[in-house]
Every structure is written in C-alpha cells, then in structure tokens.
Amino acid sequence: MSTELKHAVKQLYKTLIFIGREYPKGGIYFRDKCHAAFMKNKDVTDPAEIKMLISRGEYVVKELEALYRLRKYRTLRKRYYDSETFEETMLKNIRYFDEK
Amino acid sequence: TMARVLVGVKRVIDYAVKIRVKPDKSGVVTEGVKHSMNPFDEIAVEEAIRLKEKKFATEVIAVTCGPTQSQETLRTALAMGADRGIHVEIPADDYVKTGPLQISKIFAKLAEQEKANLIILGKQAIDGDNNQTAQMTAAVLDWAQGTFASELKLEGEKLTVVREVDGGLETIDLKMPAVVSADLRLNEPRYATLPNIMKAKKKKVAKLTAKDLGVDLASSIEILEVADPPQRLAGIKVENTEELVGKLKEAGLV
C-alpha cells in the first residue's frame, strides 16, 4: 500500500474511534466493531478497492454525526417542548370526551 | 458595519447522562461524570460562525466562565470555528454559587472590552435551566434583546429575529448592538471533528478572573435543597377496552 493510502486509512480509523466515543452503546463496543471491520479488510491490496473502502468509512462518519445530532435534538425536544404539549393535548382530549 | 460577536459557552453534565442527586441533597453528582457543551450554546456558536462565514461578522469570540475544565468546552467552540477564546476562570467552590446575574456582568464587561456589538447565548443551560443570562446581559448593557431566536438575519444595523413564543412565532427588528438567545430550531450545529479539535489547539485563549474585570461574584441566592423528580411508577397491561375504561375511571381520569 502506498504511504498516502496508508495515511488515509490510519486517519479514517482515528476519526472513527474519536466519533465512536459517543456511540449510544458505548465507545468500547464501537471500537471493537470498528477494529473488526478494519481487520476484515487487512489483506486488500488493490488501491481502487482501498479507496472505495475509505469512502465507505467516511460515509459511516457522516452517518454517525447525523445520528448524534438527531438524537440530541430529539432528547431536547422531548425534554423541553414535546412532553408538556403532549400531556396537555391528552388531558384536553380526555376533558373533551368527558363533556360529550 | 460588520458584527463582532461574543458567544457564550457553558460546560454542563452531558445531556445523555442520568443525573444523580447527592445524598445530602446539596446538589448533583459531578465527579466522574461526562461533561460537554450546553446544547443550546452549540446552537449559539453555530449561528455566530455562520454569520462569519456569510461575511456578516468579522470575528467570533467564544467565552466561558467556570473552573479549569471549562477550557475543554472552549476548545470545542474553537474547533467548531470560533476565532479565539476567553476563559474567565472561577474556582469550583465559587462557581457553584455563581448565578446568571454574575455571569451577565462578566459578559457585559467583556463586550465593552472587546468592542463586540452582538452577543449570542444559548437560551438556557440544561443544568440550571435558568433562562436569564441573555436577558440580564442585555439589561446590564442596556442593549436590545431578541430571545428564543429561531431565525436571525443581519442587515447593516438592523437585526431581524424570529422568536419562538407560546404557540407561534414573533418577528422583531432590533437595532444593534444586541443580545440574542438561541432556541432549539435556530440551526443544526456542526460536529467538532478530530482534525478541527487539533487545529483549535493553536487558537488563542485568554485567561482572566472575575476580579480582573471588576465583577463581584457575591450572590444573594442560596440553594437550600436539590431533589429528584418524582419517580414514575411502573405501568400495567390491560387486556381490552372495557378494562382500560375501568382503570381510567378508577384513576378518576374519565
């Protein structure tokens, strides 16, 4: 493998481990899975295939960022906005049927 | 004129952590607990950076108040794209007694010192839930304020803010200088990536104390007790609608 590709693979691994620290099932769980995925492809030598695998890894990074963002947004919405509105609406509906 | 933006960031217990109250009810357990930037402050930082990227702002200065560890939060703001940081160091013992009023006085002083004309803060921090710092800062400075912002537009001296109000939206025009507080829907903050965190280590962080700014940290508020929210009892399964109605009647809900 060229040094350039070697560097890109290493960088991707570091990035994944870094972002995996926030993984809902825990950083250790993620690290093990990530390590296994890299090891599975350790014998790949074709530069085109290596590049393809790197871009797949980069896609996972983007997906994780989106997952975290959504998870945080949803938690905050539930904590500060939705639940009250939801309960209020529910009570209103119950009273509505009560009056009928 | 372009904006010089001061953005506030607070280090809080991470939003995903289950909060535990200390047995003596004096506060919550913070030791060994994961901390991160207050999520509403991330939104504030993102908005400030976007203003700079769109060439509406010349500089974005991130400010944090708190103990040594608060610097990590400042680094995150710098990694997201703030130009430099100011850490107003408050020792842990004093920090637990520091409230929005003291923090707002610090922000006001820094705004004058840095010649900032726009301050963006999270609408509240998820630890104290005070929702006061932005309002108080505007009052101390006698600046205009746009709270609970879900949209922000800057045109010269005019700042248009769409505010989240009860059950709807309110659009207001402010004359700069101004203080804005960020609500949840203002934007989707970017992720502080590893390379950017590395690069952020080279950015400048000034360290100050409240005393350097002439701000008295004495507070007239004393926390008497911190209690857990009431425990939710386990639910039950009902077999059919008749049973459901029966249970609801029992509970006096219908």
Side-chain angles (χ1 to χ4, degrees):
Chain A
M1 207 193 311
S2 71
T3 28
E4 206 178 294
L5 276 179
K6 216 174 228 169
H7 179 76
V9 172
K10 240 178 168 173
Q11 207 52 41
L12 173 67
Y13 188 72
K14 275 187 194 166
T15 306
L16 278 163
I17 296 300
F18 173 79
I19 200 166
R21 295 179 314 170
E22 265 185 71
Y23 196 68
K25 279 187 176 171
I28 293 168
Y29 173 91
F30 183 89
R31 193 192 58 201
D32 291 346
K33 289 271 170 191
C34 181
H35 188 256
F38 272 73
M39 287 313 278
K40 204 179 82 187
N41 295 312
K42 71 176 167 36
D43 298 323
V44 178
T45 48
D46 175 22
E49 199 184 343
I50 292 171
K51 274 180 195 156
M52 189 272 289
L53 288 166
I54 290 171
S55 64
R56 194 192 285 171
E58 280 163 354
Y59 177 76
V60 171
V61 172
K62 289 280 161 246
E63 284 287 290
L64 283 172
E65 282 179 12
L67 168 78
Y68 296 164
R69 210 161 35 216
L70 194 65
R71 184 168 170 249
K72 195 180 283 182
Y73 176 81
R74 281 195 173 146
T75 310
L76 289 173
R77 200 182 61 182
K78 213 168 122 196
R79 214 174 273 171
Y80 288 104
Y81 304 85
D82 258 2
S83 58
E84 260 176 56
T85 326
F86 175 69
E87 270 164 33
E88 259 175 39
T89 317
M90 208 172 69
L91 284 173
K92 228 181 275 167
N93 286 344
I94 290 172
R95 271 185 230 116
Y96 172 79
F97 286 115
D98 207 23
E99 280 159 18
K100 274 228 157 171
Chain B
T1 47
M2 299 246 280
R4 278 175 71 79
V5 191
L6 219 61
V7 63
V9 293
K10 186 180 186 183
R11 176 178 179 265
V12 298
I13 294 180
D14 187 79
Y15 81 99
V17 169
K18 173 110 178 64
I19 303 292
R20 283 185 302 129
V21 172
K22 284 185 190 166
D24 67 359
K25 294 190 174 183
S26 65
V28 299
V29 178
T30 54
E31 293 84 17
V33 171
K34 187 187 173 198
H35 284 67
S36 53
M37 188 191 295
N38 173 37
F40 290 108
D41 296 347
E42 289 182 325
I43 299 170
V45 173
E46 177 66 37
E47 199 62 21
I49 297 164
R50 287 188 193 184
L51 283 176
K52 181 156 185 214
E53 285 170 348
K54 286 187 247 160
K55 308 261 186 283
F56 286 120
T58 47
E59 192 177 27
V60 176
I61 309 161
V63 179
T64 194
C65 305
T68 319
Q69 301 97 306
S70 301
Q71 254 198 58
E72 296 159 21
T73 309
L74 211 48
R75 293 283 173 209
T76 309
L78 297 175
M80 286 173 75
D83 296 299
R84 59 186 170 97
I86 299 173
H87 178 197
V88 180
E89 193 159 19
I90 304 174
D93 288 346
D94 296 336
Y95 186 57
V96 289
K97 290 177 240 158
T98 309
L101 181 59
Q102 292 75 36
I103 301 296
S104 63
K105 285 176 186 167
I106 290 174
F107 274 112
K109 273 276 179 308
L110 285 173
E112 284 167 0
Q113 237 177 51
E114 299 294 337
K115 297 187 171 50
N117 56 359
L118 178 62
I119 302 179
I120 309 179
L121 304 170
K123 70 161 182 168
Q124 69 194 71
I126 61 167
D127 55 358
D129 280 335
N130 288 302
N131 192 336
Q132 290 172 341
T133 306
Q135 294 89 327
M136 284 178 170
T137 306
V140 173
L141 285 163
D142 198 17
W143 286 9
Q145 58 174 290
T147 50
F148 314 121
S150 72
E151 220 184 296
L152 203 129
K153 221 165 62 204
L154 189 56
E155 285 169 286
E157 292 284 295
K158 194 179 80 178
L159 185 69
T160 305
V161 180
V162 179
R163 304 182 58 234
E164 301 235 4
V165 293
D166 212 2
L169 296 170
E170 179 189 56
T171 307
I172 56 168
D173 276 350
L174 306 175
K175 204 168 165 272
M176 296 263 276
V179 181
V180 169
S181 81
D183 212 319
L184 190 60
R185 292 169 185 88
L186 183 58
N187 58 48
E188 283 190 6
R190 70 196 66 186
Y191 198 80
T193 61
L194 185 58
N196 285 343
I197 286 178
M198 291 307 179
K199 275 184 227 155
K201 288 188 177 163
K202 288 191 193 119
K203 289 184 179 177
K204 268 193 216 143
V205 172
K207 229 176 184 180
L208 297 170
T209 64
K211 215 176 148 195
D212 293 336
L213 297 165
V215 173
D216 182 10
L217 289 180
S219 166
S220 49
I221 295 172
E222 186 191 351
I223 295 168
L224 298 180
E225 191 190 291
V226 174
D228 275 309
Q231 286 258 315
R232 262 182 80 153
L233 298 172
I236 52 156
K237 255 190 181 163
V238 291
E239 291 297 328
N240 48 45
T241 42
E242 283 79 14
E243 203 185 327
L244 172 66
V245 172
K247 290 285 175 199
L248 286 173
K249 273 187 179 154
E250 251 175 61
L253 287 169
V254 288

